[in-house]
Amino acid sequence: MLASELAKTLGLETVNAGETDNEVTGCYIGDMLSVVMSRAEEGDIWLTVQANVNIDAVAVLTGISAIVIVEGMKADEDTVAKAKAQDITIYQSDDTAYALACKISELI
Amino acid sequence: MPNVKLHYDIDGNDFTVAGQASSNLKKVLKQLGVSTEVIRKAAISMYEGEINTVIHGKGGAADVEISTDKLIITFTDHGPGIKDISQAMQEGFSTATDEARELGFGAGMGLPNMKKYSDALNISSVLGEGTTVEIIIHLT
């Protein structure tokens, strides 16, 4: 399923829609960047409470399909600016990572 | 593959630019046609080294040398040095500041990840003078 379709189905708020609409092939939840770096797989949609600009670098390096900032956290201005520059798709949601992951597992 | 040398200056304590050198290296390796698995290993190792240079080294530099059979990344900083390298290599051990932890760093996975995703890791450190970390990744 494409990231945009998944976002629409889950009612996610779009922070930045990257030019490339990536296929979501898995899901990873994590907030410690080093752990995400080593464990997230290419194509995963990444659910995190982190909203600072460093999530953009992790997204580029891991090749994840999109970021979802969960639990009502809001992306920093720097995060949005860098996402626009680097073609990274970011969504936001008030839901918990667990609640979203349960739904995602049924959709992909 | 032609020999390629890259140099990156890494600002200390500026978390907002951390990851730029790693992203650039990933792009270069893709252009050179390096395999996806090697790119993943290089990206993770480079990122961890870059972050460590920002958080612990108070800034420094990364030099990358790409030859036909291997990739060598050398991080050099003039920070406080590592007191106990074997302790620093343990997963979960971290001396990161609260500020760094709030941003999602300080998991104590930096050096362990570098070791896990490289083929050789050499660290030399002198207290009060700085640290040099050499990462070697085979391309084939």
Side-chain angles (χ1 to χ4, degrees):
Chain A
M1 180 179 257
L2 291 172
S4 62
E5 295 168 345
L6 190 68
K8 195 175 175 189
T9 308
L10 296 173
L12 306 178
E13 177 193 343
T14 302
V15 176
N16 184 59
E19 285 178 25
T20 315
D21 194 2
N22 295 310
E23 184 79 19
V24 178
T25 52
C27 177
Y28 187 84
I29 302 172
D31 303 318
M32 298 302 283
L33 304 184
S34 286
V35 182
V36 179
M37 274 297 298
S38 66
R39 297 286 174 83
E41 300 284 340
E42 193 168 336
D44 282 352
I45 191 163
W46 172 29
L47 315 185
T48 182
V49 294
Q50 294 291 350
N52 67 73
V53 69
N54 296 289
I55 62 174
D56 291 318
V58 172
V60 168
L61 292 167
T62 53
I64 53 147
S65 50
I67 302 170
V68 186
I69 300 171
V70 300
E71 309 243 13
M73 303 292 177
K74 301 295 177 199
D76 296 348
E77 277 181 32
D78 288 352
T79 309
V80 181
K82 202 165 179 182
K84 286 184 194 300
Q86 300 199 313
D87 189 22
I88 301 162
T89 297
I90 301 181
Y91 303 108
Q92 285 174 175
S93 172
D94 289 334
D95 286 345
T96 64
Y98 174 71
L100 287 173
C102 288
K103 293 174 190 166
I104 291 167
S105 76
E106 292 176 1
L107 292 167
I108 61 172
Chain B
M1 188 184 295
N3 275 22
V4 176
K5 287 185 178 181
L6 306 165
H7 175 83
Y8 302 97
D9 289 316
I10 301 169
D11 286 344
N13 294 316
D14 187 354
F15 293 103
T16 61
V17 295
Q20 276 183 3
S22 317
S23 301
N24 182 268
L25 177 64
K26 183 178 179 181
K27 196 193 269 183
V28 171
L29 293 175
K30 263 188 176 175
Q31 285 167 350
L32 291 171
V34 173
S35 75
T36 310
E37 183 53 31
V38 170
I39 290 176
R40 178 173 161 82
K41 288 167 72 175
I44 293 172
S45 302
M46 181 78 179
Y47 181 70
E48 296 292 6
E50 199 179 343
I51 295 299
N52 273 359
T53 305
V54 173
I55 294 177
H56 303 291
K58 302 187 189 306
D63 286 282
V64 180
E65 196 173 340
I66 308 163
S67 58
T68 40
D69 61 340
K70 64 180 180 288
L71 167 72
I72 303 174
I73 308 169
T74 308
F75 290 96
T76 315
D77 72 55
H78 299 288
I82 302 170
K83 194 176 173 187
D84 183 339
I85 293 175
S86 62
Q87 191 178 32
M89 290 303 300
Q90 290 172 18
E91 285 190 12
F93 177 81
S94 175
T95 57
T97 60
D98 287 346
E99 185 199 1
R101 288 172 199 269
E102 281 170 15
L103 294 171
F105 301 114
M109 294 295 288
L111 288 172
N113 267 354
M114 278 187 247
K115 186 176 172 60
K116 187 176 173 186
Y117 291 98
S118 64
D119 295 302
L121 176 69
N122 302 306
I123 305 170
S124 60
S125 188
V126 178
L127 282 180
E129 291 185 17
T131 301
T132 300
V133 175
E134 183 189 60
I135 296 162
I136 300 171
I137 297 170
H138 297 143
L139 296 183
T140 49

